[in-house]
Amino acid sequence: MINALLFSGILLIISVLSSKLLYRFGIPTLLIFISLGMLLGSDGIGGIYFDNYAIAQQLSTLCLVFIMFYGGFGFNWKTGKPVAAQSILLATFGVAITAFLVGAFATIIFKTSLMEGMLLGAVISSTDAASVFSILRSKNLNLKGGLASMLEMESGSNDPMSYMLTIIVLAFMKSSGQISVIELLSKQIFFGLAVGVAVSIAAVFVFNRVKISIEGLYPIFTIGIVLTGYALSELLSGNGLLCVYVIGIIMGNTTLIHKRSLVHFFDGMSWLMQIILFFTLGLLVFPSQLPPVFFEGFLVSIFLVLIARPIAVFSVLSWFKVPIKQQLLVSWVGLRGAASIVFATYALTSNLPFANTIFNMVFFICLVSILIQGTLIPFIAKKLDLVEQSVSVYKTFNDYQDEVYTKLIEYKIENDHPWAWKTIMEANIPEDILVVIIKRKKTVITPKGFTEIQPGDIMVLSSNNFESLPS
């Protein structure tokens, strides 16, 4: 036990310190943590032998649940709304097109069966948000035309589609085609969305109506919400990943008490989940088994980057008359990552004879994608003249907190004011206005979410724009 704790502590320290070093150079954190897993695995200096695919799949899925939730929680809907339609279509139809093209390519070139090819296509069809935005954040590289928000929403929401396709192909193979694909797909989407919306609405209601005395319990309550939503969706044959992403978006873009502390908590938790996820996947792979899939993996990588991804992107974005240069950049910024490797473990746990080959090939494709595509994103964005110099990329996230409020005013609450006798949470105070203090007769009150606003109160407000205040 003590040895395991010591090992875990040292691993976390190394992960954090190494990520700080490589983050500066724009190298995705996925590569850091996976490399540590490979280094300490059976083929590395650590000699840790780990081949329990079932445990790896369950642990990885759990990590992915919280990564997906925080991806939605951190997404700024106000910034992303103008490109929401493009992002959603890329995350659904774009993923399906990519999966079909890769599946057809593998079937024709490698002489696999159609279902084997389609399984590879389904597993590798989603893009990795963590890799993309670790690069953009490290370089503070915002993109013109709302591309940063489009890429964030697409890469953050396309894992559920890839997951659905993987599950459908596996179910089709196990049942020898005796399933209704339409029924399975409909259940995945309907129950994933329905449970996500229902659970998030209930969670917001409880957050803003039920006072919990200990502030530290709010994150724990949120963890319970996420786990409940995922489990309920899966029990109803829905898409659990889609469910928790929806919960994240709704909760993240709704006024919540202690929201800032939730952001800090789940930001740290998301990083911890990424470290566990990537290290587990790195430990699961045997580097000595990668050379046999080098040629096939490299061919699929080239096909993905130069043919499949561009066709999927142009098929969707051309309808919105998006400029060619922007479509080219979106085509390039389609990094494959951890989710694809996690979905490849589903093939391993299904005991398919070719599953190990698919897992190793997907792992190799992800490494190539991160090393080549990832490192060239800043260069290509600048060459295409799509770098936005005046706006920070952090504004596409809900955890952006660098806004400086420069004006202070005293605002008196009259008897007929719409905020009177309401708590700060209930008053629907505009998000760009900060309540600094409340003066009540001779008392100065530090405002909290449950602080009631009373007639006669003088509120000290801070903002850059007070036009939205009730007159």
Side-chain angles (χ1 to χ4, degrees), residues 191-388:
F191 286 113
L193 289 174
V195 174
V197 172
V199 169
S200 56
I201 291 176
V204 170
F205 179 83
V206 173
F207 252 98
N208 295 336
R209 296 293 187 278
V210 179
K211 183 176 181 179
I212 302 175
S213 300
I214 303 173
E215 183 177 345
L217 293 178
Y218 282 96
I220 298 175
F221 176 76
T222 307
I223 291 175
I225 290 294
V226 174
L227 294 177
T228 299
Y230 176 80
L232 281 177
S233 179
E234 290 289 322
L235 284 173
L236 295 171
S237 300
N239 190 315
L241 296 181
L242 176 61
C243 175
V244 296
Y245 186 71
V246 170
I247 293 173
I249 286 183
I250 294 176
M251 292 186 66
N253 290 275
T254 303
T255 302
L256 290 176
I257 188 171
H258 303 308
K259 188 173 183 179
R260 180 168 294 185
S261 63
L262 286 178
V263 168
H264 292 315
F265 177 86
F266 280 100
D267 186 32
M269 186 172 186
S270 176
W271 277 106
L272 178 61
M273 293 297 103
Q274 289 185 59
I275 292 173
I276 295 173
L277 170 62
F278 300 151
F279 179 78
T280 300
L281 295 176
L283 205 62
L284 189 64
V285 75
F286 291 79
S288 60
Q289 297 178 6
L290 294 180
V293 301
F294 176 88
F295 180 71
E296 292 88 347
F298 189 75
L299 285 181
V300 174
S301 298
I302 297 300
F303 181 80
L304 259 174
V305 175
L306 300 181
I307 300 177
R309 171 71 175 176
I311 289 177
V313 169
F314 276 75
S315 297
V316 171
L317 297 186
S318 295
W319 292 95
F320 296 91
K321 298 181 180 180
V322 176
I324 299 296
K325 289 198 301 184
Q326 293 187 18
Q327 295 193 55
L328 287 173
L329 182 61
V330 174
S331 299
W332 184 265
V333 187
L335 306 187
R336 313 295 142 172
S340 295
I341 305 174
V342 172
F343 299 151
T345 64
Y346 282 75
L348 290 172
T349 55
S350 297
N351 296 318
L352 300 175
F354 53 87
N356 199 57
T357 300
I358 286 183
F359 178 81
N360 289 327
M361 188 180 297
V362 168
F363 193 93
F364 178 82
I365 292 169
C366 291
L367 290 182
V368 171
S369 177
I370 294 165
L371 287 171
I372 298 178
Q373 286 177 270
T375 53
L376 290 178
I377 286 176
F379 173 78
I380 292 177
K382 291 175 183 177
K383 284 296 181 181
L384 292 173
D385 191 29
L386 292 174
V387 177
E388 179 64 72

Side-chain angles (χ1 to χ4, degrees), residues 73-119:
F73 194 81
F75 178 71
N76 190 324
W77 177 253
K78 185 184 296 185
T79 305
K81 187 176 179 180
V83 293
Q86 297 96 306
S87 303
I88 292 171
L89 288 174
L90 281 173
T92 52
F93 289 105
V95 167
I97 292 170
T98 301
F100 174 78
L101 291 175
V102 172
F105 176 81
T107 301
I108 295 171
I109 301 300
F110 305 141
K111 308 299 181 184
T112 65
S113 69
L114 179 60
M115 284 296 100
E116 290 176 15
M118 290 303 165
L119 180 59

Side-chain angles (χ1 to χ4, degrees), residues 144-194:
K144 295 179 180 178
L147 290 184
S149 293
M150 184 191 300
L151 289 167
E152 182 195 1
M153 190 171 188
E154 181 219 355
S155 57
S157 61
N158 60 15
D159 289 343
M161 185 64 180
S162 179
Y163 172 75
M164 279 191 288
L165 294 176
T166 302
I167 295 300
I168 288 172
V169 173
L170 286 173
F172 198 86
M173 296 174 73
K174 291 178 181 178
S175 63
S176 301
Q178 302 301 313
I179 64 165
S180 172
V181 174
I182 300 299
E183 179 184 357
L184 186 58
L185 188 61
S186 299
K187 285 183 177 180
Q188 284 270 309
I189 296 174
F190 176 77
F191 286 113
L193 289 174

